[in-house]
Amino acid sequence: MERAPRPAIQLYSVRELPEPLPDVIRRVSNAGFEGVEFANRFLEEDPEAVADALAETDVVPVAAHADLSAVEEAVEGANDLLERLETVGCDRVIVPHISPRHFQTRWAVRSLSYRLTDAARELDARDVRLGYHTMRHDLYPMLPEAVGTVFDQTPVPQGIANIGAQVLARLRRADPRADLAEIPSKSGFWNLLARTTPEDVCFEVDVGEVTAAGFDPAAAVELAAGRIPCIHVRDVAATGRFGTYDNADPGEGDVDFDAVARAARKSGIQWMVYEHDDPDDPHRTIDDGAALLGRLCGDDDTDSAELAGSARIESPR
């Protein structure tokens, strides 16, 4: 059965607001957001005050972003991330970005999958789920192992390897035979899905990043259906410079948000998380985001459809 997701906001979008984090939570609650996703300030402010603001407003702590190294340190007791999560009642931590080099070859993705799985199982013992937030480089074609080895073993700047992967992606987009509504099995994203299990690792699909990689975000949502508790609602626009994309105000870029909302309903996604990486006015972006998600998450009276048939992924050898 289809269900409407709930609206949340990634608090990185309003990092420029001068007031304390508890007051920011009250502000976004008043705008109509039902959930918040924490970012950098979560590790700096008083978690008891944050917990009080969440209880006062009935806002749900959807997740907290933390680098993979910080997560690994947390399970070793080297920082207080887990204690903060417990204090505010947050049971999900999401790794927001990982270097492109971890997605350039099948071997690199395999190594990353082991690392994520190990961290996820340590977190599970503490009743916390681990997730990974997708980036555009996850969807670029992987390099042959021999090429990846050359980049790893020579002093060639890592950026050269990234450019090579981007060129391959642009050539694919320009190919009229390419199906941009299907995530290729030769991408790092597809392989990371295949090499991790739903019990261990969930995913947060950033629809802006998928669009910037040249693919239909709905395809990414459907591919990982059942493993995506939340998606990032972010807009991007093509710059016209070598196939690059910049951040855009919601609804003014290239993301088809209506198609994303339909895929989110069919896939049973719990939260649509608004994000604007570079807003001109953090006050206005709260209202813009609330208005956008109010439309996308609104009740739908259309007939329910069966769960979107996601592509079946067989684990690669």
Side-chain angles (χ1 to χ4, degrees):
M1 297 290 289
E2 293 186 4
R3 67 177 180 187
R6 299 172 66 184
I9 183 171
Q10 165 53 255
L11 294 177
Y12 184 77
S13 307
V14 290
R15 62 195 179 278
E16 299 299 331
L17 289 178
E19 57 256 46
L21 191 54
D23 289 342
V24 174
I25 291 171
R26 297 181 181 96
R27 180 186 290 274
V28 300
S29 173
N30 290 335
F33 290 102
E34 299 176 17
V36 292
E37 186 176 58
F38 298 112
N40 51 332
R41 290 178 63 180
F42 178 65
L43 298 177
E44 301 168 357
E45 300 203 24
D46 180 6
E48 296 285 355
V50 171
D52 289 343
L54 293 170
E56 173 190 326
T57 58
D58 286 329
V59 167
V60 178
V62 174
H65 276 194
D67 290 340
L68 181 54
S69 59
V71 173
E72 292 170 329
E73 291 169 1
V75 299
E76 296 294 333
N79 62 45
D80 65 350
L81 173 62
L82 295 178
E83 289 78 5
R84 286 174 175 271
L85 292 173
E86 183 177 6
T87 298
V88 304
C90 181
D91 62 1
R92 184 181 297 120
V93 61
I94 293 176
V95 177
H97 47 72
I98 291 176
S99 169
R101 67 185 178 86
H102 292 292
F103 293 93
Q104 285 176 348
T105 66
R106 292 183 187 276
W107 181 255
V109 175
R110 181 184 300 173
S111 297
L112 175 61
S113 71
Y114 295 156
R115 190 176 169 190
L116 288 171
T117 297
D118 287 346
R121 292 177 180 174
E122 292 285 349
L123 289 176
D124 185 62
R126 296 163 172 82
D127 296 321
V128 176
R129 289 295 312 279
L130 179 66
Y132 172 67
H133 169 279
T134 62
M135 299 293 291
R136 67 194 69 179
H137 57 246
D138 310 350
L139 291 140
Y140 294 155
M142 292 181 296
L143 300 173
E145 294 294 341
V147 176
T149 300
V150 169
F151 283 118
D152 286 340
Q153 297 182 352
T154 62
V156 177
Q158 181 62 35
I160 300 299
N162 299 342
I163 291 172
Q166 291 176 42
V167 168
L168 291 175
R170 290 168 194 159
L171 289 174
R172 184 180 187 278
R173 289 199 300 268
D175 185 348
R177 299 167 298 176
D179 183 3
L180 301 183
E182 180 179 352
I183 305 302
S185 62
K186 293 183 179 180
S187 67
F189 175 58
W190 192 99
N191 275 260
L192 189 59
L193 273 168
R195 293 188 181 281
T196 55
T197 68
E199 293 77 21
D200 291 324
V201 181
C202 62
F203 288 81
E204 181 175 58
V205 170
D206 185 314
V207 300
E209 290 293 303
V210 177
T211 299
F215 293 95
D216 177 3
V221 170
E222 292 168 0
L223 177 65
R227 300 187 63 178
I228 312 176
C230 45
I231 61 174
H232 264 193
V233 177
R234 185 166 71 87
D235 213 348
V236 295
T239 65
R241 301 188 302 273
F242 307 108
T244 58
Y245 284 76
D246 279 345
N247 296 309
D249 290 330
E252 296 183 11
D254 296 336
V255 176
D256 185 346
F257 287 120
D258 291 325
V260 167
R262 289 192 294 270
R265 289 173 182 275
K266 292 178 181 178
S267 300
I269 286 172
Q270 302 169 24
W271 295 95
M272 298 187 80
V273 183
Y274 174 79
E275 181 180 40
H276 196 321
D277 278 355
D278 190 25
D280 292 330
D281 182 346
H283 297 279
R284 182 168 63 85
T285 203
I286 292 174
D287 294 332
D288 289 346
L292 175 63
L293 293 193
R295 179 174 68 82
L296 298 179
C297 296
D299 291 335
D300 189 352
D301 294 330
T302 58
D303 293 336
S304 295
E306 293 183 355
L307 185 69
S310 57
R312 184 178 300 275
I313 304 177
E314 296 180 359
S315 179
R317 297 180 181 178

